[in-house]
Amino acid sequence: MNIPSQNKRVWAEPYKIKMVELLKMTTREEREAAIREAGYNTFLIRSRDVYIDLLTDSGTAAMSDRQWAGMMLGDEAYAGSENFYNLEAVVREYYGYEHLVPTHQGRGAENLLSRILIKAGDQIPGNMYFTTTRLHQELAGGTFVDVIVDEAHDPTSSFPFKGNVDMGKLDQLVQSVGADRVPYVSLEGNVNMAGGQPFSMANLRELHQYCRKHGIPIMLDATRTLENAWFIREREDAYAHMSVREILREICDLTDGCTMSAKKDALVNIGGFFACNDDELFKKAQNLVVVYEGLHTYGGLAGRDMEAMAQGIREAATEEHQQARIGQVRYLGENIAAAGIPIVTPIGSHAIFLDAKRFLPHLDQDEYPAQALAAELYLESGIRSMERGNVSAGRDPETGKNRRPALELVRLTIPRRVYTQAHMDVVAQSVIDVYQRRNEVRGLTMVDEPEYLRFFQARFEPMTH
Ligand code: P61
């Protein structure tokens, strides 16, 4: 493995700041009122009550002057906008897929893909679930099957490619149900729920060969695949001298199509797309998008959004950007880990994940330790994070019970190009302060549970004992 030393000269931000947004600090009393009102769910806190917002890296990036200039070039025609053709050309050039269908964001693309390819009773193998991806697979009548390597479920494993597919698990599924019940393999770059963990090119090659042999397409979740490309460059010797752009292209060339939430890698506040090479699949997606999103040349986006996305892809597909992006996340993670606080290793690209099971060992998983820890961190310092554990995993549709996943995590997600190193120091210190009084943190009871994606809107109360 080839992880370069943290040379500060190379990871400094490759930009300077032209405009700022003022932050507001709150008092402990204000935060107590805000978290109570939010039902101890960080998704329900008003952003005006947040100091440093690490809820997500989705749609939260700072756009560049060139992206803003692109917004002024918005061609807001209902049909055939110039910006669509610009975006199509950039997606062809960087991702390499022939056909593009824009969507308002990632889940719009997941809806199209799932409805077109999944039949009732199908099984969809994937390298760990993502909430919206799995829900769309289930709504289309399919069942998600986890075929990620075991190391991904172990927060203490330092395996460098925790995003890899376990070929044995995949083969077992294909042998037991038959390849015709497996419409595609769902492959996510830099697996979000595992801690932002990459797959290796070697693993993808093996997967590609296997899938070709069995006639199963590979559908990439390209949301953070540029960040995955950076890790391949760092950790696979043969790729050390290739650009992230070349590596991205090689990844896409080994797959058949993708869904994309452009709100992450592509540095925009809204947008997504579905892309593929197959003409028939494209025709179906182009037809279905008019039902759910809008005409096939805008897919729910304004022309200006597509222009900003095209420019965002160009800026993100550079070594300077990825090195600073991932360098900042690593800086935060190393400072937290140095204090003896349990985090998921290796440090991923988009977030630091606190291991709530080890942070709060006195809480049972049905007392929602990650949810409780996220609420506590907000109370401590006004920093907003996100639960990624038992609440996010939801209930097993068969048993109706909480899934109690192996990973019970709090995600401190770093928006791209938004916060400084001094902010990261404040975050690390706040986590350390909570850790020092961790024994006082109480569990939560869920008092209101929505039917779909419950973590977004569920409400909780602190337990009294
Ligand atoms: C996030 F709490 N991610 O990480 P859309 N694939 C992948 C994603 O990370 C992703 C989507 C598809 C979000 C936003 C979010 O449970 C949650 O553009 C790998 O958000 O529709 C989104 O893309 C969906 C947060 C989504 C959540 C679902 O913060």
Side-chain angles (χ1 to χ4, degrees), residues 174-440:
V174 172
Q175 297 304 330
S176 70
V177 302
D180 56 332
R181 301 282 29 198
V182 179
Y184 59 93
V185 172
S186 182
L187 180 75
E188 185 188 334
N190 241 46
V191 181
N192 193 352
M193 300 300 282
Q197 306 292 333
F199 57 71
S200 69
M201 195 69 91
N203 183 252
L204 175 54
R205 289 194 172 284
E206 208 185 330
L207 178 69
H208 172 77
Q209 269 186 358
Y210 180 91
C211 287
R212 273 292 116 89
K213 188 167 134 213
H214 291 86
I216 303 171
I218 303 172
M219 290 296 164
L220 179 70
D221 181 337
T223 300
R224 294 185 186 82
T225 298
L226 270 166
E227 293 180 0
N228 196 125
W230 176 264
F231 284 128
I232 288 176
R233 189 174 189 270
E234 266 191 356
R235 298 177 188 176
E236 275 181 288
D237 287 341
Y239 293 88
H241 301 292
M242 279 173 71
S243 64
V244 286
R245 188 173 161 184
E246 288 165 328
I247 299 170
L248 174 71
R249 187 58 196 268
E250 190 170 324
I251 292 170
C252 295
D253 287 350
L254 291 166
T255 66
D256 299 279
C258 80
T259 55
M260 171 76 176
S261 170
K263 300 169 73 172
K264 285 79 162 174
D265 266 359
L267 299 167
V268 283
N269 304 123
I270 193 71
F273 57 81
F274 170 73
C276 66
N277 293 322
D278 184 78
D279 297 343
E280 276 307 300
L281 180 56
F282 172 54
K283 259 177 93 171
K284 286 184 183 162
Q286 236 187 356
N287 189 225
L288 204 57
V289 77
V290 300
V291 180
Y292 293 102
E293 309 274 323
L295 195 74
H296 58 276
T297 54
Y298 76 85
L301 296 171
R304 54 179 172 266
D305 299 328
M306 294 188 280
E307 197 61 38
M309 197 195 303
Q311 177 60 19
I313 291 169
R314 289 189 200 103
E315 292 174 15
T318 61
E319 286 70 54
E320 306 87 87
H321 170 75
Q322 295 302 339
Q323 186 156 34
R325 154 71 171 155
I326 291 169
Q328 186 183 43
V329 173
R330 228 171 245 171
Y331 173 81
L332 173 63
E334 283 168 358
N335 284 348
I336 293 176
I341 295 170
I343 63 170
V344 173
T345 55
I347 293 169
S349 67
H350 69 306
I352 299 306
F353 290 74
L354 306 176
D355 183 351
K357 279 187 188 168
R358 282 185 291 155
F359 200 116
L360 302 175
H362 57 288
L363 299 186
D364 181 80
Q365 203 169 0
D366 281 340
E367 296 170 350
Y368 307 115
Q371 189 79 30
L373 181 53
E376 195 63 34
L377 183 62
Y378 172 74
L379 272 174
E380 173 70 31
S381 56
I383 292 167
R384 169 153 71 173
S385 57
M386 185 193 289
E387 191 268 4
R388 293 280 82 166
N390 206 9
V391 183
S392 295
R395 291 180 187 277
D396 185 315
E398 307 254 291
T399 65
K401 295 217 164 99
N402 279 336
R403 282 191 169 100
R404 296 175 66 98
L407 298 177
E408 178 73 26
L409 310 174
V410 171
R411 189 180 76 169
L412 302 165
T413 337
I414 315 302
R416 294 167 186 79
R417 309 196 290 204
V418 171
Y419 292 112
T420 65
Q421 202 163 335
H423 289 121
M424 296 302 112
D425 290 340
V426 170
V427 173
Q429 191 55 52
S430 306
V431 174
I432 293 166
D433 291 345
V434 174
Y435 191 64
Q436 278 165 356
R437 54 178 190 76
R438 60 193 178 280
N439 296 337
E440 298 163 22

